[in-house]
Structures are given as C-alpha cells and as structure tokens.
Amino acid sequence: MIKVCKFGGTSMANAEALKKVKNIIFSDESRKYIVVSAPGKRDKNDIKITDTLYSCYEELIQTGKCDKYFSLIRDRFVDLVSELGVKLDIESILDQTEKEIIENKSKDFTASRGEYLSARVISEYLGFEFVDSAEMVRFDSEGKLNDDYTDDKVKTRLKKVDRAVIPGFYGKDFEGKIKTFSRGGSDITGSIIARGVKADLYENWTDVSGFLVCDPRIVPDSQTIKQISYQELRELSYMGASVLHAEAIFPVKKDKIPINIKNTFKPEDAGTMIVPSEQYIAEGNNVITGIAGKKNFTVLSIEKSMMNSEVGFIRRVLSVIEHYGICVEHVPSGIDTLSVVLASNQLKDGVLSDIVNEIRENVSPDYIHVIENISLIATVGHGMARRSGTAAKIFSALANEGINIKMIDQGSSELNIIIGVANSDYEKCIGAIYKTFYGNK
Ligand code: ASP
C-alpha cells in the first residue's frame, strides 16, 4: 500500500501544526511520499510565506535588493527550525536562497522558495530524503504540464526512495528555469506524485474535514460530503467550491487513484473521498452531492421563430461573441430560443451593446433581451440520472420561496442542473435547494 500525502499551508504554519503532521505520518507506514506547501497563516492577520515572497520579488525589482521582505522569511524559518529542534544549518540555506533570488530575478523562482525551504526543513524533521520537484516536474513551451516526461521522471526518481519529502507548487519550464503552477498548485504536485508512484490513495491534508454540500456562509450547518466523483467535483469546483485546486484531479484521474480530503487538526474525521465516477455510481449515493454557485452573469436571450431550421444560426451568434474575445459559460436552447450566458466582468466599456447590435445584424432575431445581475446555481449529483423528479423538486422548492427562475440548463450527462436567478435571490435559492434535499437529515 502506498499513500501520497500533501499537507497544505496551515498544516505547515508552525511547530505545533508540524508535530501533528509528524504524528499523522508516523501513524501509518504506507504514508511514504509527503508533498508540502509553504508555511501559511498562523492566525487570521498573519501573511502566507508565498505572499511575502511575492512582495520580496517586488522589492527586488524596485530596489535591486530584497532584505526587507526576505528578513521576514528568514525569521519564520529560523524560528521554525529552533522550535522543532531540528539540526539543520538553516542560516546557510537561507543565505544561499537569498543570493539565488537576487541572481535569478524571477517571480516564479522567488515564489517557489517557500515550498523549497519548507520541504528542506520537514525532510530533516521527519528523517526522510528531500527530493526536489525541479528534478521531476516539467512544463512544455506553452507553459502546460508535460505529462509524459514528468510521469516518467517521477517514476524513475522515486523508484528506489522509500520515503521522501517533496516541495509542491513548482517544476522547471522547457528551458530549465523554475516555473510555478497557479496559486494553490501544491495540490497538483501531490496528484502528479501519486500518479507517478502508482499510489493507492492520495491524501490531501488541509484545515477542513472535506467538502461541504454547500457554502457554510449560506448554510452554517451544511453537511460534509462523504463521497464525490471526479466529475461531480469538477462541476462544483468550476462553480466556486475551493478546497482543492481545480486541476488537481487530472493526473490521478488517469490512473483512477482516489483522493481523500483530510483535516490535519481532526485526523479522526473521515473527510471527503473523491473517487472515479464508475465506482461512485456503482455504490449509489445521495441524489444530490453538492450545490454551488456564482454571482454576476449576463444572459442574452435570443428568440427567432424556426431558428432550429436555419443552418449555422448558433454558430453565427457565437462567432460574434468570439470576435470580442469573450468566453461563453452556457448556451441553453429551446426550439425558437437560445440563451447565451456570459460572465458580466468580461463585458466592460460598452462591449455588451456592441455585441447585441452585431447579433441583430448577423442573425436578425425576432427579439433579443439582455438580463443582467444573474446568479448561476449548480445542483450536482450522479443520482439525478437514477431518480426522476429531481428538477421538479428543485423548482417547487424555489416556487415555495417565491424565487423567480430566469434560466434553466440541464447538462446532457444528467449530472447537473443549472438555474439562473436574480443576484438578490442567490443565498435564498441555495438555502432552499439544500433544505429540500438535506433538510431532514
Ligand atoms: N504556496 C502556494 C500558494 O500559496 C502553493 C500552495 O500552497 O499550494 O498558492
């Protein structure tokens, strides 16, 4: 049995948290490969090491030096090493790191040093080998992960290493320079390592006990999701659920390795299991797995009699929007109607009226109507395909609350029902859907 464990910033934040991390790792011999983030916030008002490193880079670019911000990094790592009682010449490592930051003058290199230093300290603390991600993780010339190369490197590099600590968040670009993933990217590193070593499980240790059915700011006592499929998680992450980096499921998905979201501060909690869709469906779960949403969309509702018999109608509408370089979120359609949903923040400086005029010229619709300040709410669950009446249940819940539905879109996979409501109904709508499916549990 092989487990890859990724520990997030809060788990790395101070000696107290790190002692918990050590207990977790030593309580299970199969926890072999440990991927770490940079130390995060110790309390609400603290600053993450990665953010301080970005400030350090700004200081360097503006003044040619970075002593002001690097001294904050230095203090945190020196304190951490002394509190943990680790025998490591951290001062020399920090001197060398500062020198390299100044020489490299690279934003990504600077930001990556949080994970690098964190992994150096933890490897010493645990007595595991330090294996640098720079040796394994590669990006291609377009900045995308070079999957095959990376997978091969992870396999060969870790083949003979029984237990290791690996920094998350970065690798090398095609020219050999350090490059980071987007923020929160250590989750992706964990997934890459899990795939490379053919792990049985990828444990992602954080500071919450898994995904909640919906946002706790809206439903404070929301239940935790026990099991969710890769596909359901994709839908929910896209709509704003943010415990795990949205791209972290891709590497493990290929080899069907499950991910367990666990809480470092409550290790006894089962957390959320993210599993391949086939397994999830076979086991039969709740009808609804999660509810997530986003505010501020604009819907262009286009009507034209017999539009479905007009060859190229949808393409001509969409090509107008493409021409303005704008992404389309959803395109629900009926026989004589087509709605195009766009994120409102893309529609600055009069672009919206230009688009509407151009659509009028291009497809001569009977009617085109713009609805602004729309929220989209996704109700997600494979269970919908098994059971009839899910949509009816959602609609009657909203009707009972007096919420007007402005748009409906059900994906063909029967995994997801998306509804559009006024921004002012957003919270009420999520609350009502939650109550309908989870109210009595
Ligand atoms: N330290 C990086 C960040 O704050 C990456 C990570 O923690 O996953 O975004």
Side-chain angles (χ1 to χ4, degrees), residues 7-239:
F7 288 90
T10 340
S11 310
M12 297 288 119
N14 53 27
E16 203 191 321
L18 277 164
K19 283 177 189 153
K20 295 190 197 307
V21 168
K22 189 175 189 172
N23 283 337
I24 290 167
I25 293 167
F26 284 110
S27 68
D28 182 346
E29 268 190 26
S30 60
R31 294 186 171 131
K32 292 190 179 296
Y33 302 103
I34 314 302
V35 175
V36 297
S37 276
K41 292 182 180 190
R42 289 160 290 189
D43 55 63
K44 262 194 181 156
N45 303 320
D46 199 13
I47 298 169
K48 288 181 175 185
I49 285 283
T50 309
D51 289 316
T52 311
L53 284 164
Y54 282 120
S55 306
C56 193
Y57 172 74
E58 290 303 321
E59 184 191 353
L60 178 65
I61 294 308
Q62 277 160 25
T63 68
K65 289 189 294 182
C66 61
D67 349 350
K68 183 173 151 220
Y69 283 103
F70 198 79
S71 70
L72 301 174
I73 307 279
R74 189 178 284 279
D75 290 350
R76 263 191 89 172
F77 279 102
V78 168
D79 285 354
L80 195 60
V81 165
S82 95
E83 280 168 38
L84 291 173
V86 166
K87 282 205 175 51
L88 180 71
D89 185 2
I90 190 72
E91 289 283 5
S92 310
I93 297 174
L94 287 160
D95 289 345
Q96 177 67 18
T97 303
E98 185 173 6
K99 205 171 126 229
E100 287 172 0
I101 288 177
I102 295 169
E103 279 166 11
N104 273 280
K105 285 200 179 42
S106 144
K107 189 172 178 182
D108 281 16
F109 179 82
T110 308
S112 74
R113 294 305 87 186
E115 271 67 14
Y116 170 81
L117 292 166
S118 185
R120 291 290 305 265
V121 173
I122 316 293
S123 82
E124 206 59 36
Y125 181 51
L126 298 174
F128 294 1
E129 187 176 336
F130 165 80
V131 179
D132 199 344
S133 328
E135 292 179 47
M136 303 182 283
V137 178
R138 278 292 182 291
F139 296 91
D140 63 19
S141 55
E142 282 167 21
K144 295 204 186 88
L145 179 70
N146 184 337
D147 247 335
D148 294 339
Y149 184 99
T150 300
D151 195 43
D152 197 51
K153 284 283 173 196
V154 173
K155 273 194 185 95
T156 43
R157 180 65 183 86
L158 295 179
K159 203 170 171 187
K160 293 197 184 75
V161 184
D162 183 42
R163 292 182 111 175
V165 174
I166 301 151
F169 192 38
Y170 68 93
K172 277 187 177 169
D173 69 9
F174 71 111
E175 289 177 315
K177 296 202 189 85
I178 293 290
K179 176 176 166 53
T180 63
F181 289 104
S182 55
R183 295 300 302 267
S186 301
D187 287 340
I188 310 174
T189 313
S191 185
I192 290 170
I193 302 297
R195 179 178 176 219
V197 301
K198 296 225 172 303
D200 299 280
L201 182 65
Y202 169 25
E203 287 182 339
N204 189 291
W205 291 85
T206 174
D207 53 3
V208 290
S209 297
F211 285 91
L212 297 175
V213 173
C214 65
D215 188 336
R217 285 167 300 187
I218 300 172
V219 179
D221 56 354
S222 168
Q223 286 191 28
T224 301
I225 301 175
K226 293 194 184 72
Q227 180 156 257
I228 184 169
S229 75
Y230 294 144
Q231 228 180 331
E232 289 175 332
L233 182 61
R234 273 293 291 158
E235 302 281 347
L236 290 173
S237 304
Y238 182 70
M239 286 301 250

Side-chain angles (χ1 to χ4, degrees), residues 287-288 379 383-385 387-399 405 408-410 414 416-419 433 436-437:
V287 176
I288 294 307
T379 306
M384 282 180 206
R387 200 124 9 127
S388 56
T390 309
K393 237 173 142 178
I394 296 175
F395 301 148
S396 62
L398 301 190
I405 302 176
I408 302 166
D409 188 8
Q410 175 165 27
E414 283 194 74
N416 200 353
I417 296 175
I418 295 174
I419 51 172
I433 301 174
T436 304
F437 292 97

